[in-house]
């Protein structure tokens, strides 16, 4: 139960009769005060006894299932009055703060008995993951609007906020490069890692080295008797390769670099690589791992792959625990026993914290092609270049130390037979995609 | 309390068109407990609180603490600071005790020959009134006289603080004092100077050289005046200490009639002036009460929470630069100039080797050679800069760090013949792993 500003105003208006009575005498003023208070309280009690029950209300929700981070959605709530009195309600929907509810979240509703009304709220979530709502608070005012009854009702709901996939802007240019590889452009490229596709007639511009003389000898030109048609072989890149993306969700993933947690960068890079690889006809599996499997996408293909990946990623946050790298080869083996491209998205910036990764790598590189992708801190490069005063020099020295450490770890990783990709947060997804295209072009998948 | 612009409420046509019974919607489960459920759930605490309150009330009632403390030294006040004990004993022994709150009645009784006990707690009586009562009273006992009372009644007797403990040195021949023999703890003291002593004032119950707990003498008009410096002799709580009771009875029981005079507001000049209550109109107090009610109502209106707070689990995010910052502070605190410069040198050598396309495992000598050749500097000076010179102080360190930076930029600049500016500050070095 609560009271409204109108009731406070009503009480304050009592000044008029009290002063008027007070002109006659003090006793009359006290009588007027008591009378006014009784009147106001009586009106309040009467009002609240005539208010509709906020408990006899049925609630229904209509929520979109998913939303990409940064986009807005409308959430609808239906309030149905099950009571016999007019419900003059103010409704507050109890969304989590990060659901980004616009406005004051105080919706006035008038619901006649037995009817229902719909209210629309606009949400712009500002955090990835499941944004939940558990309850709705209904404040039901009486006909005079003096006192009201209040109850909080359970009305659970959920919106899954997906990773934003900002790096999709890089996708068209990479797909163009992929099509060039694929032979779908006029330019024919023959190289390692391609397999025989078909034989067709030579057109000007084709690589003369790709002329198949035996096929040419078999193809007599019917229009010009005695001469041959020159045939060329066409090639296409390998298809149906396996790609296993392992995102490290341990404590290093919680680090925020250039205002983006490592984990989010890893997700962006995974999504771009998965989108590219699924266009190229490869099969992508995704694992999120620290000491246990946090999320897994297996056996999805085409448009379903990205949808399932963002769905799995939405609920994953970095945990403050050390990653257990020794189990990663086992996890990869459970996904595929064939040769695969294994992409490890982690932090490889200091020898101490990378020891587990380094001791595990030989097991993976013996069987698979491995890329270790990590984010570099652009702030370190900046700090390393600034050498104005003593403080800056020490900071530059510390930054150089960090860069040297990262370089040592990268060298150790390369010595163990894996490839490294490291770039600032916004450049890591395209850099990883480019490395994938290189591998594809050179047939190392 | 209206919703913001994007928050709209629209009637749901489809829903309201249907018959209410068609949709068997169940009422949502209420999270807020009903009043009855609230009482039931908190029953134990409510009972506990009730028991506590009842216990406190009973304890206060037994101790008598619920009664107001009453007037100090009031004749009808049984509280520790009252004087009902003394007054009742005197009445039992046939002394007729009259309570008086005004000068007129006290003077009337004194004129009939009554002993007057005067306790002027707030120094309400002015000099003329004191003179008047002292002039008519045959025996006047002034309890805890203030500064102005001493000036008026006994010039030369002065206040002298608090006694150090119980007093048993009677030091005078006053019969009541001799009968009492000693006084309990908590006495105050008065001093008597030579002029006063010459005027007939004598002190009793001496506390070493500090002063006397009681001073007696004769007033200007021949009445006997006794000044008792502390109230402890008469108060209920301490009247049974040592000889307090004997002294009190001796001082007050000397005549058949006793006036117990505690000056009231009527004895003050200012009493003729109108009080604040008389000056203000009658509606002011009720309006203030009303305003308090309005403030309480407004407080409830604004302060009532609209449903419970919504909690949210936030993920952990750690700024990655903290490690590097911490290491920099460590270098600075321990003034590790050599170590700091080493890091910069390793970084510069790596950068030069990379720029000059030397193999990763190139020897240091090869790098310095190549750098010297590329920049046209002296090989020895390059080697000194990159390897040998020890930074002696902070200034050296800053200079060497800057020179290393210049050298690295020069090496890079020589490899870009098109850009002839030697040290382009906007020189974007290729981050590792990025493809051209």
């Amino acid at each position: 139960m609560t009271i409204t500003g109108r009731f406070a105003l009503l009480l304050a208006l009592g000044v008029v009769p009290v002063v008027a009575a007070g002109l006659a005498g003090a006793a009359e003023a006290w009588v007027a005060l008591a009378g006014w208070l009784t009147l106001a309280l009586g009106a309040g009690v009467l009002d609240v006894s005539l208010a509709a029950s906020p408990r006899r209300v049925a609630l229904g929700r209509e929520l979109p299932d998913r939303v990409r981070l940064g986009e807005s959605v409308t959430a609808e709530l239906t309030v149905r009055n099950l009571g016999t009195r007019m419900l003059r309600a103010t409704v507050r929907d109890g969304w989590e703060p990060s659901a980004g509810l616009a406005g004051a979240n105080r919706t006035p509703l008038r619901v006649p008995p037995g009817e229902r009304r719909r209210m629309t709220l606009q949400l712009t979530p500002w955090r990835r993951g499941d944004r939940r709502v558990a309850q709705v608070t209904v404040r039901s005012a009486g006909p005079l609007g003096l006192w009201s009854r209040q109850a909080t009702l359970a009305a659970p709901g959920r919106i899954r906020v997906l990773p934003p996939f900002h790096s999709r802007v890089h996708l068209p240019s990479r797909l163009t490069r992929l099509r060039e590889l694929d032979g779908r452009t006029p330019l024919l490229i023959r190289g390692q890692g391609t397999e025989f596709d078909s034989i067709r007639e030579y057109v000007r511009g084709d690589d003369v080295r790709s002329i198949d003389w035996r096929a040419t000898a078999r193809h007599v030109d019917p229009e010009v008797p005695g001469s041959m048609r020159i045939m060329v072989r066409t090639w296409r890149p390998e298809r149906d390769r396996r790609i296993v993306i392992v995102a490290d969700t341990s404590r290093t993933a919680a680090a925020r670099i250039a205002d983006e947690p490592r984990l989010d960068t890893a997700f962006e890079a995974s999504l771009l690589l998965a989108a590219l690889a699924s266009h190229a006809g490869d099969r992508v599996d995704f694992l999120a791992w620290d000491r246990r499997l946090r999320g897994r996408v297996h056996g999805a293909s085409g448009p379903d792959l990205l949808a399932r990946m963002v769905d799995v990623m939405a609920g994953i946050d970095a945990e403050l625990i050390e990653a257990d790298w020794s189990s990663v080869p086992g996890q990869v083996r459970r996904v595929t026993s064939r040769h695969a491209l294994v992409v490890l998205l982690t932090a490889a910036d200091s020898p101490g914290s990378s020891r587990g990764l380094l001791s595990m790598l030989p097991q993976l590189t013996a069987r698979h092609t491995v890329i270790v992708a990590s984010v570099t801190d652009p702030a370190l490069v900046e700090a390393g270049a600034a050498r104005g005063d003593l403080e800056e020099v020490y900071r530059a020295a510390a930054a150089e130390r960090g860069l040297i450490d990262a370089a040592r770890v990268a060298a150790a990783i390369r010595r163990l037979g894996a490839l490294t990709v490291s770039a600032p947060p916004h450049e890591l997804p395209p850099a990883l995609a480019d490395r994938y295209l290189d591998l594809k072009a050179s047939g190392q998948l | 309390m209206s919703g913001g612009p994007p928050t709209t409420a629209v009637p749901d046509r489809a829903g309201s068109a249907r018959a209410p019974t068609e949709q068997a919607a169940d009422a949502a489960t209420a999270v807020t407990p009903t009043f009855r459920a609230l009482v039931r759930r908190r029953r134990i605490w409510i009972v506990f609180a009730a028991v506590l309150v009842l216990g406190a009330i009973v304890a206060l009632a037994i101790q008598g603490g619920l009664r107001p403390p009453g007037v100090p030294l009031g004749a009808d006040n049984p509280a520790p600071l009252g004087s009902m004990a003394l007054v009742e004993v005197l009445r039992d022994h046939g002394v007729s005790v009259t309570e008086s709150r005004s000068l007129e009645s006290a003077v009337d009784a004194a004129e009939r020959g009554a002993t007057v006990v005067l306790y002027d707690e707030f120094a309400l009586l002015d000099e003329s009134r004191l003179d008047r009562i002292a002039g008519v009273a045959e025996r006047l006992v002034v309890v805890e006289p203030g500064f102005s009372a001493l000036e008026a009644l006994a010039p030369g007797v002065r206040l002298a603080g608090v006694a150090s403990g119980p007093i048993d040195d009677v030091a005078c021949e006053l019969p009541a004092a001799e009968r009492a023999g000693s006084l309990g703890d908590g006495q105050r003291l008065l001093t008597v100077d030579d002029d006063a002593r010459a005027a007939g004032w004598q002190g009793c119950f001496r506390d070493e050289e500090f002063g006397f707990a009681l001073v007696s003498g004769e007033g200007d008009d021949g009445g006997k005046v006794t000044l008792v410096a502390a109230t402890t002799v008469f108060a209920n709580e301490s009247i049974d200490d040592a000889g307090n009771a004997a002294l009190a009875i001796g001082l007050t029981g000397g005549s058949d009639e006793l006036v117990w005079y505690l000056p009231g507001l009527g004895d003050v000049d200012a009493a003729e002036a109108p009080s604040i209550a008389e000056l203000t109109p009658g509606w002011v107090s009720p309006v203030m009460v009303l305003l308090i009610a309005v403030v309480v109502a407004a407080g409830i209106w604004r302060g009532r929470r609209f449903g419970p707070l919504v909690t949210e689990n936030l993920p952990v995010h750690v700024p990655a630069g903290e490690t590097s910052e911490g290491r920099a502070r460590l270098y600075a605190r321990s003034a590790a100039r050599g170590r700091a410069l080493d890091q910069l040198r390793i970084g510069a050598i790596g950068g030069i080797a990379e720029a000059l396309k030397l193999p990763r495992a190139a020897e240091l000598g090869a790098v310095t050679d190549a750098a010297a050749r590329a920049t046209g500097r002296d090989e020895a000076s390059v080697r000194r800069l990159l390897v040998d010179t020890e930074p002696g102080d902070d200034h050296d360190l800053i200079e060497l760090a800057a020179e290393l930076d210049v050298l690295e930029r020069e090496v890079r600049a020589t490899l870009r013949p098109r850009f002839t500016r030697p040290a382009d500050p906007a020189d974007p070095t290729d981050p590792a792993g990025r493809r051209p």
Side-chain angles (χ1 to χ4, degrees):
Chain A
M1 211 203 68
T2 185
I3 62 178
T4 60
R6 205 180 282 184
F7 180 71
L9 189 67
L10 177 71
L11 273 186
L13 281 180
V15 167
V16 176
V18 169
V19 170
L23 295 179
E28 284 85 348
W30 284 107
V31 169
L33 172 69
W36 188 263
L37 288 181
T38 316
L39 182 76
L41 286 176
V45 170
L46 179 72
D47 195 35
V48 79
S49 64
L50 289 177
S53 168
R55 291 160 197 275
R56 299 187 65 191
V57 159
L59 299 168
R61 281 193 187 280
E62 277 174 53
L63 292 177
D65 211 22
R66 291 171 171 74
V67 59
R68 211 178 273 291
L69 185 65
E71 290 174 2
S72 295
V73 288
T74 55
E76 291 183 353
L77 181 72
T78 318
V79 178
R80 186 181 168 86
N81 184 1
L82 302 176
T84 51
R85 296 187 195 138
M86 178 78 173
L87 177 69
R88 298 165 193 82
T90 311
V91 181
R92 168 189 174 235
D93 203 357
W95 281 98
E96 286 182 355
S98 65
L101 184 71
N105 200 3
R106 303 277 186 275
T107 313
L109 285 183
R110 288 174 68 88
V111 192
E115 294 190 15
R116 60 179 187 162
R117 292 288 181 272
R118 189 173 56 208
M119 53 184 256
T120 310
L121 299 173
Q122 183 145 17
L123 303 178
T124 314
W126 43 267
R127 205 157 67 75
R128 187 167 52 74
D130 282 348
R131 299 282 69 84
R132 294 173 190 281
V133 56
Q135 55 216 7
V136 168
T137 305
V138 179
R139 192 175 269 190
S140 161
L144 301 175
L146 296 177
W147 287 13
S148 27
R149 300 167 69 178
Q150 178 174 319
T152 300
L153 310 171
R158 188 202 73 166
I159 291 185
R160 173 150 282 200
V161 183
L162 306 175
F165 196 11
H166 293 306
S167 60
R168 64 181 180 275
V169 297
H170 299 291
L171 193 56
S173 61
R174 267 70 193 176
L175 284 178
T176 310
R177 272 193 68 198
L178 186 70
R179 273 195 291 275
E180 288 171 6
L181 282 178
D182 219 1
R184 269 180 245 161
T185 49
L187 193 70
L188 272 186
I189 297 170
R190 179 194 170 187
Q192 291 173 337
T194 49
E195 50 197 26
F196 175 68
D197 183 25
S198 63
I199 287 180
R200 62 169 172 77
E201 198 172 349
Y202 175 84
V203 291
R204 283 174 66 178
D206 282 354
D207 188 353
V208 289
R209 287 174 298 180
S210 61
I211 294 173
D212 186 337
W213 293 110
R214 269 195 281 183
T216 307
R218 280 200 298 275
H219 281 76
V220 179
D221 191 343
E223 291 171 10
V224 188
S227 74
M228 308 288 169
R229 280 187 176 177
I230 299 173
M231 305 305 288
V232 292
R233 288 181 180 212
T234 60
W235 306 85
R236 61 170 198 190
E238 301 160 315
R239 297 178 70 87
D240 291 329
R241 303 292 142 171
R242 299 298 296 245
I243 296 175
V244 183
I245 303 172
V246 182
D248 172 15
T249 60
S250 70
R251 62 184 180 83
T252 52
R256 184 179 280 271
I257 296 175
D259 209 24
E260 185 173 275
R262 270 210 184 96
L263 189 65
D264 286 8
T265 313
F267 286 169
E268 290 283 320
S270 309
L271 287 173
L272 182 64
L273 179 60
L276 190 60
S278 68
H279 273 99
D282 292 332
R283 288 159 63 190
V284 180
D285 298 289
F286 174 78
L287 304 174
W289 174 262
D290 41 56
R291 298 196 80 83
R292 62 183 180 83
L293 201 59
R294 301 245 166 235
R296 180 178 182 198
V297 177
H298 181 57
S301 59
D304 189 33
L305 172 70
L306 281 191
R308 280 184 58 191
M309 276 180 76
V310 288
D311 210 36
V312 165
M313 286 170 179
I316 301 176
D317 276 315
E319 303 278 333
L320 285 188
I321 50 177
E322 189 74 35
D324 174 22
W325 286 106
S326 60
S327 309
V328 169
Q331 291 294 330
V332 174
R333 208 174 307 124
R334 283 175 62 190
V335 173
T336 176
S337 53
R338 285 168 49 196
H339 173 265
L341 171 67
V342 179
V343 180
L344 301 177
L345 288 154
T346 180
D349 51 6
S350 78
S353 64
S354 306
R355 194 170 296 136
L357 171 68
L358 291 175
S359 60
M360 174 277 297
L361 265 183
Q363 294 180 54
L364 276 184
T365 50
R367 195 184 270 266
H368 307 291
T369 305
V370 181
I371 297 179
V372 179
S374 60
V375 182
T376 56
D377 192 350
L380 283 189
V381 180
E382 262 174 45
R387 296 177 186 187
D389 55 21
L390 185 66
E391 198 182 324
E392 279 186 355
V393 168
Y394 279 129
R395 204 171 285 155
E400 285 289 353
R401 177 79 225 168
L403 294 173
I404 293 163
D405 279 346
R408 276 170 61 201
V409 174
I413 289 171
R414 281 192 292 270
R415 209 170 303 127
L416 291 172
L419 303 164
T420 56
V421 175
S422 57
H426 296 294
E427 293 165 24
L428 185 70
L432 182 63
D434 287 337
R435 180 56 63 91
Y436 161 77
L437 288 174
D438 287 351
L439 287 176
K440 198 158 188 66
S442 60
Q444 291 179 37
L445 294 181
Chain B
M1 293 257 267
S2 64
T7 318
T8 52
V10 289
D12 187 355
R13 304 270 175 231
S16 48
R18 274 180 231 154
T21 49
E22 191 180 309
Q23 265 197 339
D26 291 331
T29 323
V31 180
T32 322
T34 56
F35 182 71
R36 204 175 300 160
L38 196 74
V39 169
R40 206 178 307 136
R41 196 195 298 167
R42 305 263 164 88
R43 194 166 36 191
I44 292 175
W45 292 106
I46 292 170
V47 168
F48 190 57
V51 166
L52 269 184
V53 169
L54 275 179
I57 290 172
V58 167
L60 278 173
I62 288 171
Q63 284 184 351
L66 272 188
R67 262 169 282 171
V71 189
L73 293 198
D76 54 351
N77 183 3
L81 292 179
S83 282
M84 194 169 159
L86 173 63
V87 171
E88 287 304 308
V89 167
L90 290 172
R91 278 183 181 147
D92 283 353
H93 285 80
V95 178
S96 98
V97 182
T98 332
E99 294 169 46
S100 166
R101 300 290 289 180
S102 73
L103 185 66
E104 297 310 322
S105 58
V107 167
D108 284 352
E111 278 170 347
R112 292 198 301 271
T115 307
V116 178
V117 172
L118 168 64
Y119 174 50
D120 189 4
E121 187 186 3
F122 301 107
L124 296 175
L125 296 183
D126 60 10
E127 193 177 339
S128 64
R129 287 185 167 82
L130 283 167
D131 283 342
R132 196 171 153 214
I133 186 89
V136 294
E138 277 176 39
R139 283 170 298 280
L140 177 63
V141 179
V142 184
V143 183
E144 207 179 76
F147 179 75
S148 57
L150 288 177
E151 285 289 299
L153 298 177
V157 179
R158 293 197 174 80
L159 298 171
V162 180
S164 51
I167 302 173
D168 45 13
D169 179 6
V170 178
C172 71
E173 279 113 40
L174 198 70
E178 284 186 323
R179 274 200 298 279
S182 66
L183 290 183
D185 197 4
Q187 300 302 324
R188 290 168 170 276
L189 297 179
L190 299 167
T191 53
V192 184
D193 68 6
D194 294 341
D195 291 347
R197 196 167 284 130
W201 293 96
Q202 61 167 335
C204 298
F205 295 107
R206 189 168 66 197
D207 183 22
E208 294 170 15
E209 74 273 21
F210 301 118
F212 303 91
L214 185 148
V215 173
S216 66
E218 290 202 350
D220 298 337
D221 300 315
K224 275 192 72 179
V225 176
T226 314
L227 308 168
V228 181
T231 57
T232 47
V233 174
F234 302 93
N236 289 340
E237 62 176 349
S238 51
I239 195 165
D240 54 347
D241 286 357
N244 285 4
L247 177 65
I249 291 171
L251 289 177
T252 56
S255 60
D256 286 346
E257 203 177 354
L258 175 66
V259 178
W260 197 269
Y261 174 40
L262 307 180
L265 283 175
D267 296 334
V268 186
D269 282 335
E272 279 106 52
S275 71
I276 292 178
E278 286 162 352
L279 280 176
T280 51
W283 50 265
V284 169
S285 303
V287 164
M288 277 161 76
V289 171
L290 183 68
L291 284 183
I292 291 171
V294 169
V295 166
V296 169
I300 296 174
W301 163 44
R302 298 309 301 173
R304 175 80 165 100
R305 197 188 286 158
F306 210 127
L309 288 179
V310 181
T311 56
E312 180 166 8
N313 290 328
L314 289 169
V316 186
H317 287 307
V318 189
E322 287 298 315
T323 329
S324 175
E325 290 288 318
R327 187 179 273 144
R329 281 193 290 271
L330 272 182
Y331 284 153
R333 196 185 304 161
S334 54
R337 286 183 283 269
R339 181 166 284 269
L341 188 63
D342 279 351
Q343 311 308 331
L344 294 175
R345 278 170 168 165
I346 296 171
I349 291 169
I352 291 168
E354 192 191 317
L356 295 175
K357 302 282 186 285
L358 296 172
R360 266 179 221 281
E363 299 234 334
L364 187 56
V367 177
T368 52
D369 266 354
R373 242 178 289 122
T375 55
R377 294 193 189 194
D378 179 16
E379 202 264 328
S381 75
V382 171
R383 191 176 170 84
R384 265 202 302 284
L385 176 60
L386 280 179
V387 187
D388 293 333
T389 315
E390 293 278 332
D393 54 15
D394 288 344
H395 186 69
D396 284 358
L397 176 64
I398 296 172
E399 263 189 4
L400 283 169
E403 276 180 46
L404 278 174
D405 200 30
V406 169
L407 176 69
E408 201 178 330
R409 281 166 198 272
E410 274 181 27
V411 169
R412 286 186 197 281
T414 55
L415 299 174
R416 286 203 196 85
R418 275 180 296 162
F419 303 109
T420 45
R421 279 166 299 178
D424 187 356
D427 172 21
T429 51
D430 268 3
R434 216 184 76 172
R435 286 174 43 80

